[in-house]
Amino acid sequence: MNIAESIGGSSMIFFPPLFPDELLYSAFARYHQNSGNENHKETTKELFGNSSVCASILFPSHISNLSLRMPLGSPYISKDFIQKYSIIPYFGPFIPTKRLLKIKKVMELGKSSPVNMLLGRTASTISPMQNLQYCPNCVKEDREKYGEAYWHRSHQVEGVYLCHMHDSTLLKSRVALSKQRNKHKFVPLEHALSNSAIPINLPVGDLGHLQFIAKQTNILLNTEYPSFGLKEINRFYVSRLQHMDLANHTGRIRWADLIPAFNRFYGVQFLMNLQCYIEFDQDATWLHKLLRKPRVTCHPLRHILVIGFLNQTIESMASIITSRKTNYEPFGQGPWPCLNKAANHYRMSVVSLCEITRCSKTGLPVGTFSCQCGYVYSRKGPDHSDEDQFKIGRVKCFGEVWEERFQTVSKIDMPLREKARLLGCDPKTVLNRISISKVVINTIDIQENVHYKEKWIRLIADNSESSISELRGLNQSVFSWLYRREREWLQEHSPPKIKVTMNQGRINWEGRDQQTAEEVRLSAIEILNETSERLIRVTKTEIGRRMGKLPLLFKSLHKLPQTANQLNTVLETMEDFQERRINIKAAELRNTSAVVKRWELIRASGLRETFIDNHRDIIDKHIH
């Protein structure tokens, strides 16, 4: 006795050839019709060796028994029945591998009822289809090609309203998918056509979306994709959203932008008809579960909708996931080009280091590219074309190679813009670098150079005992000009630095205080007695400059109490200075005119309007 006989009877004498994209149930129905059996249970026993097996339409069970009872020489095996003639491949890529293997094992050995639970169909908010569907154009073609029509797998999935081959609207038959009665009944399509079809109402919206769903469904069913993995699918979706600026560079999704964009892309009514609409104020929708940390599976229809929104296809998704390119790369894959014009590898892809941060103002990714030549530049992303990789937002470091080239170019007699072009930078950058690198550019006026040097020599001569720090305080502008352009000359023509040793005697602060206080008094008198047209206010800074002891008054005044008291006595507030200026200018006007006019005094005193009211009494005293 062979294996087939041990499970209840002998092998089948014949089994009809299976057609492309045919439901296994359709082949059972054609077998029943061709066998001449009057009782459907009799057909079931011939197929499975057990008359109590239910004729599950979408997820046939006991496939292993069926394979063992195939006629001798039959090319069909259990794997083919599941992969090519059931709708399991539609779900396969979107469920974990272990679960997919378990589902196939159940279909081979057990009942089909647990399959719906393992696929998550029982918990899904998408209602299952109620009746088998067919395409009238496919019926016509199948009859011409195969002599009879048959049930197509690609027409029996939720969300499919059109035929992927003809773009024609499917018709709903009277054959129920979930049968409470006649569970063992097999109905071929040719018999179902004798009954009038049930009209199908297409979802309101873009017909192109329905065509996309139908074509992607057919691809899933007729391509042997492995399980993509929930994490890899999630990474793929998030990376695509990042490219669309609907998620930041860390993967945080901008839900306030995504949900309206998704609903707007398909249309509210269209999504509601497909039971896939997302309320804006909800935070636990199917889309949230799909795009956050993946824990549960989701109906393939919803995956197809997300894929379409991301402007992708099942094929492109599979290619990206299998090649492990799901990480978000706003600047593409490295290496990246070095944009250092001074380097011999300019625009060559030699940069291997790219640090991605987030722009605090726009939220866009910012890439900082560091080359081994020392050149570091950044730019804002993401890149939208190949040319974007040659753009520079900001140069953070020029590096040694660029600096060496700069030293050569800066000494060449050529226009400033040409130098900037050769170095790949802004003309202002060239000017700034020239001033920093001691290079004297041709535009510096020689007379101006001599002028500043003479002023520095004169300053040293007038303050022979002052240190370089004190001289700097006396004339900051002269020191700065020479320091930037003639630093070596400045060092050679400056007082030597005073080395302070531990053996030096203590400073006589009391004697210095007494001397400095007297100098402060005399300097203040000097300022007050000046008769120049531009009057000067008595300030600590002006007194310190005249004394040549500016640092002493600002840094060591706490050691000089007499000096501090003297300063408090002689220093002028702004109001004191304005009052003195009014008195002096009034006296000058009286020497030239018998009558001092109000407006003349105000203008001569240089008073602003905000200060006129403060000194109204003094002004009035001089004009009466």
PDB file of all heavy atoms in Angstrom, residues 216-230:
ATOM      1  N   GLN A 216       0.427  46.566  -8.306  1.00  0.00           N
ATOM      2  CA  GLN A 216       1.330  46.168  -7.227  1.00  0.00           C
ATOM      3  C   GLN A 216       0.868  44.875  -6.574  1.00  0.00           C
ATOM      4  O   GLN A 216       1.678  44.040  -6.171  1.00  0.00           O
ATOM      5  CB  GLN A 216       1.420  47.294  -6.187  1.00  0.00           C
ATOM      6  CG  GLN A 216       1.999  48.599  -6.711  1.00  0.00           C
ATOM      7  CD  GLN A 216       3.363  48.410  -7.349  1.00  0.00           C
ATOM      8  OE1 GLN A 216       4.297  47.939  -6.714  1.00  0.00           O
ATOM      9  NE2 GLN A 216       3.466  48.751  -8.622  1.00  0.00           N
ATOM     10  N   THR A 217      -0.442  44.681  -6.490  1.00  0.00           N
ATOM     11  CA  THR A 217      -0.982  43.430  -5.945  1.00  0.00           C
ATOM     12  C   THR A 217      -0.586  42.248  -6.822  1.00  0.00           C
ATOM     13  O   THR A 217      -0.167  41.193  -6.329  1.00  0.00           O
ATOM     14  CB  THR A 217      -2.515  43.518  -5.846  1.00  0.00           C
ATOM     15  OG1 THR A 217      -2.870  44.577  -4.949  1.00  0.00           O
ATOM     16  CG2 THR A 217      -3.096  42.212  -5.337  1.00  0.00           C
ATOM     17  N   ASN A 218      -0.688  42.420  -8.118  1.00  0.00           N
ATOM     18  CA  ASN A 218      -0.312  41.350  -9.044  1.00  0.00           C
ATOM     19  C   ASN A 218       1.177  41.021  -8.939  1.00  0.00           C
ATOM     20  O   ASN A 218       1.570  39.852  -8.986  1.00  0.00           O
ATOM     21  CB  ASN A 218      -0.652  41.768 -10.476  1.00  0.00           C
ATOM     22  CG  ASN A 218      -0.221  40.726 -11.492  1.00  0.00           C
ATOM     23  OD1 ASN A 218      -0.763  39.630 -11.555  1.00  0.00           O
ATOM     24  ND2 ASN A 218       0.777  41.080 -12.290  1.00  0.00           N
ATOM     25  N   ILE A 219       2.005  42.062  -8.780  1.00  0.00           N
ATOM     26  CA  ILE A 219       3.451  41.839  -8.647  1.00  0.00           C
ATOM     27  C   ILE A 219       3.751  41.047  -7.380  1.00  0.00           C
ATOM     28  O   ILE A 219       4.572  40.123  -7.382  1.00  0.00           O
ATOM     29  CB  ILE A 219       4.196  43.188  -8.642  1.00  0.00           C
ATOM     30  CG1 ILE A 219       4.116  43.830 -10.037  1.00  0.00           C
ATOM     31  CG2 ILE A 219       5.644  43.023  -8.209  1.00  0.00           C
ATOM     32  CD1 ILE A 219       4.604  45.256 -10.086  1.00  0.00           C
ATOM     33  N   LEU A 220       3.088  41.388  -6.274  1.00  0.00           N
ATOM     34  CA  LEU A 220       3.291  40.658  -5.024  1.00  0.00           C
ATOM     35  C   LEU A 220       2.919  39.186  -5.177  1.00  0.00           C
ATOM     36  O   LEU A 220       3.619  38.298  -4.692  1.00  0.00           O
ATOM     37  CB  LEU A 220       2.452  41.292  -3.908  1.00  0.00           C
ATOM     38  CG  LEU A 220       2.994  42.578  -3.272  1.00  0.00           C
ATOM     39  CD1 LEU A 220       1.949  43.204  -2.356  1.00  0.00           C
ATOM     40  CD2 LEU A 220       4.270  42.294  -2.482  1.00  0.00           C
ATOM     41  N   LEU A 221       1.818  38.929  -5.853  1.00  0.00           N
ATOM     42  CA  LEU A 221       1.333  37.554  -5.982  1.00  0.00           C
ATOM     43  C   LEU A 221       2.202  36.707  -6.899  1.00  0.00           C
ATOM     44  O   LEU A 221       2.335  35.499  -6.690  1.00  0.00           O
ATOM     45  CB  LEU A 221      -0.103  37.562  -6.502  1.00  0.00           C
ATOM     46  CG  LEU A 221      -1.187  37.979  -5.493  1.00  0.00           C
ATOM     47  CD1 LEU A 221      -2.505  38.222  -6.203  1.00  0.00           C
ATOM     48  CD2 LEU A 221      -1.346  36.913  -4.418  1.00  0.00           C
ATOM     49  N   ASN A 222       2.798  37.329  -7.883  1.00  0.00           N
ATOM     50  CA  ASN A 222       3.506  36.560  -8.906  1.00  0.00           C
ATOM     51  C   ASN A 222       5.020  36.732  -8.857  1.00  0.00           C
ATOM     52  O   ASN A 222       5.713  36.413  -9.820  1.00  0.00           O
ATOM     53  CB  ASN A 222       2.974  36.938 -10.295  1.00  0.00           C
ATOM     54  CG  ASN A 222       1.549  36.468 -10.502  1.00  0.00           C
ATOM     55  OD1 ASN A 222       1.293  35.297 -10.729  1.00  0.00           O
ATOM     56  ND2 ASN A 222       0.600  37.397 -10.390  1.00  0.00           N
ATOM     57  N   THR A 223       5.524  37.247  -7.756  1.00  0.00           N
ATOM     58  CA  THR A 223       6.966  37.344  -7.542  1.00  0.00           C
ATOM     59  C   THR A 223       7.294  36.708  -6.202  1.00  0.00           C
ATOM     60  O   THR A 223       6.631  36.986  -5.200  1.00  0.00           O
ATOM     61  CB  THR A 223       7.432  38.808  -7.546  1.00  0.00           C
ATOM     62  OG1 THR A 223       6.954  39.461  -8.725  1.00  0.00           O
ATOM     63  CG2 THR A 223       8.951  38.886  -7.505  1.00  0.00           C
ATOM     64  N   GLU A 224       8.287  35.874  -6.164  1.00  0.00           N
ATOM     65  CA  GLU A 224       8.615  35.155  -4.938  1.00  0.00           C
ATOM     66  C   GLU A 224       9.547  36.011  -4.064  1.00  0.00           C
ATOM     67  O   GLU A 224      10.760  35.776  -4.003  1.00  0.00           O
ATOM     68  CB  GLU A 224       9.265  33.809  -5.257  1.00  0.00           C
ATOM     69  CG  GLU A 224       9.333  32.868  -4.058  1.00  0.00           C
ATOM     70  CD  GLU A 224       9.704  31.450  -4.442  1.00  0.00           C
ATOM     71  OE1 GLU A 224       9.726  31.155  -5.660  1.00  0.00           O
ATOM     72  OE2 GLU A 224       9.964  30.642  -3.549  1.00  0.00           O
ATOM     73  N   TYR A 225       8.966  37.015  -3.406  1.00  0.00           N
ATOM     74  CA  TYR A 225       9.740  37.864  -2.506  1.00  0.00           C
ATOM     75  C   TYR A 225       9.879  37.193  -1.140  1.00  0.00           C
ATOM     76  O   TYR A 225       8.926  36.588  -0.635  1.00  0.00           O
ATOM     77  CB  TYR A 225       9.056  39.217  -2.307  1.00  0.00           C
ATOM     78  CG  TYR A 225       9.113  40.126  -3.504  1.00  0.00           C
ATOM     79  CD1 TYR A 225       7.941  40.596  -4.107  1.00  0.00           C
ATOM     80  CD2 TYR A 225      10.333  40.538  -4.032  1.00  0.00           C
ATOM     81  CE1 TYR A 225       7.989  41.435  -5.200  1.00  0.00           C
ATOM     82  CE2 TYR A 225      10.384  41.383  -5.136  1.00  0.00           C
ATOM     83  CZ  TYR A 225       9.211  41.825  -5.711  1.00  0.00           C
ATOM     84  OH  TYR A 225       9.259  42.656  -6.798  1.00  0.00           O
ATOM     85  N   PRO A 226      11.028  37.322  -0.505  1.00  0.00           N
ATOM     86  CA  PRO A 226      11.156  36.823   0.869  1.00  0.00           C
ATOM     87  C   PRO A 226      10.522  37.829   1.838  1.00  0.00           C
ATOM     88  O   PRO A 226      10.101  38.922   1.435  1.00  0.00           O
ATOM     89  CB  PRO A 226      12.673  36.770   1.074  1.00  0.00           C
ATOM     90  CG  PRO A 226      13.185  37.887   0.204  1.00  0.00           C
ATOM     91  CD  PRO A 226      12.265  37.923  -0.995  1.00  0.00           C
ATOM     92  N   SER A 227      10.469  37.476   3.111  1.00  0.00           N
ATOM     93  CA  SER A 227      10.003  38.429   4.117  1.00  0.00           C
ATOM     94  C   SER A 227      11.025  39.554   4.238  1.00  0.00           C
ATOM     95  O   SER A 227      12.214  39.318   4.459  1.00  0.00           O
ATOM     96  CB  SER A 227       9.840  37.723   5.471  1.00  0.00           C
ATOM     97  OG  SER A 227       9.569  38.674   6.488  1.00  0.00           O
ATOM     98  N   PHE A 228      10.575  40.804   4.066  1.00  0.00           N
ATOM     99  CA  PHE A 228      11.490  41.945   4.129  1.00  0.00           C
ATOM    100  C   PHE A 228      11.966  42.214   5.557  1.00  0.00           C
ATOM    101  O   PHE A 228      13.049  42.752   5.759  1.00  0.00           O
ATOM    102  CB  PHE A 228      10.824  43.205   3.576  1.00  0.00           C
ATOM    103  CG  PHE A 228      10.506  43.130   2.106  1.00  0.00           C
ATOM    104  CD1 PHE A 228       9.425  43.819   1.580  1.00  0.00           C
ATOM    105  CD2 PHE A 228      11.297  42.379   1.248  1.00  0.00           C
ATOM    106  CE1 PHE A 228       9.143  43.761   0.225  1.00  0.00           C
ATOM    107  CE2 PHE A 228      11.019  42.310  -0.109  1.00  0.00           C
ATOM    108  CZ  PHE A 228       9.935  43.004  -0.617  1.00  0.00           C
ATOM    109  N   GLY A 229      11.129  41.886   6.534  1.00  0.00           N
ATOM    110  CA  GLY A 229      11.458  42.183   7.933  1.00  0.00           C
ATOM    111  C   GLY A 229      10.822  43.501   8.355  1.00  0.00           C
ATOM    112  O   GLY A 229      10.926  44.508   7.638  1.00  0.00           O
ATOM    113  N   LEU A 230      10.143  43.499   9.500  1.00  0.00           N
ATOM    114  CA  LEU A 230       9.423  44.693   9.941  1.00  0.00           C
ATOM    115  C   LEU A 230      10.361  45.883  10.142  1.00  0.00           C
ATOM    116  O   LEU A 230      10.030  47.024   9.799  1.00  0.00           O
ATOM    117  CB  LEU A 230       8.665  44.393  11.243  1.00  0.00           C
ATOM    118  CG  LEU A 230       7.585  43.304  11.163  1.00  0.00           C
ATOM    119  CD1 LEU A 230       6.883  43.154  12.502  1.00  0.00           C
ATOM    120  CD2 LEU A 230       6.569  43.622  10.065  1.00  0.00           C
TER     121      LEU A 230
END
